[in-house]
Amino acid sequence: MRSGLIDRRAFVKAAGLTFLAALKPGALMALERADAVYASGIRTPDGSFAVATVTERGEILDQMALPARAHGMAFSKATDKTVAFARRPGTYAMIFDPWNKAEPIVVTSREGRHFYGHGTFSPDGKLLYASENDFDNNRGMIGIYDARNHFVRIGEYETYGTGPHDMTVSDDGKLLIVANGGIETHPDFGRTKLNLDHMEPSLTLIDAASGRLVEKHALPPQYAQVSTRHVDIDSQGRIWFACQYEGHRNDLPPLVGHFSRGEDLTFVPLPDDTTRALGNYVGAIAVNRTDNLVGVTSPVEGTSVTLDAKTGAVLKVESVPDAAGIAPARHGFAVSSYDGDFLSEHSDVAWDQHIVRVARG
């Protein structure tokens, strides 16, 4: 999410009377005093999976059962639709209204494809794009779904790379931005990474109207094992990306960088102790446009890092055991953990890898 936060009266209006009437008294009070609402996949105490809406205080408002474990989330501020994507190599995506105004819709990836756990809505909310794997041909794909017609799959584009993970769309809706992790997988081998000795990570810009490749930024050979995984866009339209290293654990590779259309990739020179604190693995990235901040998290060493979006300077390094999702808050970032923490609140759930703000702007 890249718009500013809205006040609690707008939340109550967006939620509607039906949703509010169904809330337990404690959840209703939490919503009334909330400055932001988020959604994330969770694992419940009985081992089942669900998606939860939660305030920036960490107070869970509502839960909705999922067919299986989720990974990434996306939200359309144009329509209020939210989607939870299955964890790779899952085959479902569940689209729902966080205020329960409509029945959820579950779509299944086409034969020969599986989801890679991420996607994004077009700015007008009319299309849903999903990162997918054409696993028999080892091609990254973008599935295109019609949000005006029950999310029927209406086409696909190539990502011009292997192993697409996260993706987003430019503010004007003209460019799709894909992080091709460069890792080959096949559902016959579960989550096994099949080509760690010859990875080809890249970031691609794709024309949203035609699927034409606009730009491809392959990582240099010395960084062939730096898998490009997650992306977000700052207030200047600059694309930030975060990486996971598949090489030797004692190496200190670049993990965060940025670029704009027509420019080369620029890696942020993180201090060595910060790279070590991230465990060579960034699990999520988010931009706070209002404060001009970039935040990243790593569950490997349990760390959250905040950067200055203008300079790339490290502003804050915090210990967050099992750090998972990150999303912009009123000031800084909201961070979740696999251990059940959402900022200062602990719940008897395991938050999954990503969170998304679901407030209508």
Side-chain angles (χ1 to χ4, degrees):
M1 292 298 301
R2 300 190 288 269
S3 60
L5 294 175
I6 62 174
D7 64 34
R8 58 182 58 87
R9 289 174 295 176
F11 283 120
V12 173
K13 181 178 180 180
L17 295 177
T18 302
F19 176 81
L20 297 175
L23 290 179
K24 297 178 181 179
L28 180 60
M29 291 178 61
L31 178 62
E32 288 177 342
R33 63 173 179 260
D35 287 321
V37 175
Y38 303 87
S40 175
I42 59 171
R43 187 182 70 243
T44 65
D46 66 5
S48 62
F49 297 102
V51 61
T53 48
V54 55
T55 73
E56 87 288 351
R57 298 171 182 265
E59 302 154 315
I60 293 177
L61 299 172
D62 197 18
Q63 297 181 30
M64 184 179 300
L66 290 171
R69 182 177 175 180
H71 184 70
M73 310 287 296
F75 174 73
S76 170
K77 66 179 181 179
T79 65
D80 272 355
K81 294 297 183 184
T82 310
V83 58
F85 291 97
R87 183 174 185 249
R88 176 183 68 83
T91 58
Y92 86 88
M94 190 175 85
I95 302 97
F96 62 98
D97 186 315
W99 314 120
N100 293 335
K101 294 179 181 178
E103 289 295 316
I105 297 172
V106 177
V107 298
T108 303
S109 57
R110 61 166 286 189
E111 185 177 355
R113 307 282 192 271
H114 67 69
F115 292 118
Y116 262 116
H118 284 278
T120 188
F121 285 94
S122 60
D124 59 12
K126 295 178 180 179
L127 296 174
L128 174 66
Y129 304 103
S131 58
E132 300 179 0
N133 188 15
D134 175 5
F135 45 81
D136 285 335
N137 296 301
N138 191 28
R139 294 188 306 165
M141 307 299 294
I142 299 170
I144 306 171
Y145 297 81
D146 187 352
R148 297 167 294 180
N149 184 26
H150 304 286
F151 292 88
V152 171
R153 196 177 197 276
I154 57 174
E156 63 183 19
Y157 296 150
E158 288 192 46
T159 68
Y160 303 94
T162 301
H165 194 63
D166 196 10
M167 62 178 298
T168 190
V169 62
S170 59
D171 288 357
D172 61 11
K174 294 181 178 180
L175 289 177
L176 299 173
I177 300 132
V178 181
N180 290 302
I183 299 174
E184 179 183 352
T185 61
H186 193 289
D188 287 352
F189 300 94
R191 291 176 57 79
T192 302
K193 301 167 183 177
L194 302 174
N195 67 327
L196 295 185
D197 60 340
H198 56 280
M199 292 169 51
E200 296 181 349
S202 66
L203 294 133
T204 52
L205 304 183
I206 299 162
D207 184 271
S210 67
R212 175 181 60 88
L213 178 64
V214 176
E215 289 183 5
K216 181 172 183 176
H217 298 266
L219 269 64
Q222 67 268 32
Y223 298 143
Q225 289 187 298
V226 178
S227 179
T228 45
R229 306 291 284 178
H230 297 102
V231 290
D232 203 354
I233 304 176
D234 69 18
S235 60
Q236 303 302 309
R238 187 165 50 175
I239 300 157
W240 286 80
F241 60 94
C243 307
Q244 298 170 8
Y245 185 54
E246 300 293 343
H248 195 278
R249 62 181 298 177
N250 292 329
D251 293 342
L252 295 172
L255 297 175
V256 180
H258 55 76
F259 71 103
S260 296
R261 182 174 179 178
E263 296 180 357
D264 293 334
L265 303 181
T266 297
F267 287 102
V268 175
L270 298 177
D272 288 353
D273 57 350
T274 302
T275 301
R276 293 189 186 95
L278 290 169
N280 283 346
Y281 183 105
V282 176
I285 188 170
V287 170
N288 182 322
R289 289 190 171 188
T290 302
D291 294 343
N292 285 315
L293 301 174
V294 177
V296 298
T297 55
S298 172
V300 174
E301 296 294 336
T303 302
S304 171
V305 177
T306 301
L307 307 174
D308 185 321
K310 293 182 178 179
T311 66
V314 175
L315 301 178
K316 184 188 300 184
V317 178
E318 296 180 285
S319 175
V320 181
D322 295 311
I326 186 168
R330 180 174 292 277
H331 298 293
F333 297 96
V335 175
S336 63
S337 82
Y338 291 134
D339 198 37
D341 293 329
F342 198 105
L343 289 178
S344 60
E345 186 75 14
H346 181 80
S347 300
D348 192 18
V349 303
W351 297 101
D352 222 303
Q353 186 64 60
H354 297 283
I355 57 179
V356 65
R357 198 170 71 237
V358 298
R360 170 178 278 177

